[in-house]
Amino acid sequence: MNKKNELLFFLAGIVLCSVGLFILFNRVHVGSGFFGGFMGTLSIGRFSFPSGLIVVPFIISIVWMFVSDSIVPKFLTVLSIILIVVAIIMTTHFWMDTMSMFDWLLILVLIFGGGAMVAKVLFTDHGYDKKQTQKEIEQGKQINDLQKELEEVKKKLDS
């Protein structure tokens, strides 16, 4: 495959993969359910507590950080932010529309077929290194031949 065909193959793979992902993302819906639980509670394992309590450690650590120069409030602020992000992720729900088997297979073929086309172009050994080393070997032989001829000419001139 020459360079022009590789570029077309790569671009066709990108287009196929993009179309497949576009169709898939149009079929997927995202939502959240009252902070992950029932009536505004966040449930982690068997424990559930009101979702507003997640912000309390963050507020306390921010106030404490302005009052003190200690490392503890900074650590608690980072921990509170991580807890808030985890709570948001835990409350996110994904669901898909009902679709026929043909639609599902079409989406999969577009995504993985396009990805395979892109991967083939990216991970194929194009042989540029081999061509380069062969050229270097040929040039080295020519240089050696020229050096031998030069030595022979010098010997003839000296004698």
Side-chain angles (χ1 to χ4, degrees):
M1 196 181 311
N2 62 22
K3 286 184 180 183
K4 194 173 189 180
N5 289 344
E6 286 179 355
L7 178 63
L8 291 174
F9 202 73
F10 179 78
L11 292 176
I14 293 287
V15 168
L16 286 175
C17 195
S18 299
V19 168
L21 288 171
F22 176 77
I23 295 170
L24 177 68
F25 290 159
N26 276 334
R27 299 290 180 123
V28 174
H29 299 278
V30 181
S32 63
F34 298 112
F35 284 99
F38 176 75
M39 302 297 278
T41 62
L42 176 66
S43 299
I44 301 175
R46 293 183 181 182
F47 303 104
S48 75
F49 50 91
S51 58
L53 287 180
I54 293 175
V55 184
V56 172
F58 179 69
I59 294 170
I60 292 171
S61 62
I62 292 294
V63 170
W64 190 6
M65 192 167 40
F66 281 108
V67 172
S68 168
D69 286 337
S70 175
I71 190 78
V72 176
K74 294 175 186 175
F75 175 73
L76 287 178
T77 303
V78 170
L79 192 64
S80 299
I81 291 172
I82 291 172
L83 182 63
I84 291 170
V85 170
V86 167
I88 291 171
I89 292 172
M90 287 178 54
T91 61
T92 304
H93 302 285
F94 298 95
W95 68 92
M96 283 182 57
D97 287 339
T98 304
M99 66 177 81
S100 68
M101 181 62 107
F102 177 77
D103 293 341
W104 181 241
L105 290 176
L106 179 69
I107 290 170
L108 291 178
V109 167
L110 287 171
I111 292 172
F112 291 107
M117 290 172 72
V118 170
K120 180 179 179 184
V121 172
L122 290 178
F123 299 117
T124 300
D125 183 21
H126 300 289
Y128 298 127
D129 296 335
K130 293 178 185 176
K131 291 179 184 175
Q132 185 68 19
T133 56
Q134 288 175 354
K135 286 182 182 178
E136 288 174 358
I137 290 171
E138 290 174 10
Q139 288 175 353
K141 288 180 182 178
Q142 290 175 352
I143 290 172
N144 287 338
D145 292 340
L146 289 173
Q147 286 177 347
K148 287 179 184 178
E149 288 180 24
L150 182 64
E151 288 176 12
E152 290 175 9
V153 169
K154 284 182 180 179
K155 286 181 184 177
K156 287 181 181 179
L157 290 175
D158 288 339
S159 50

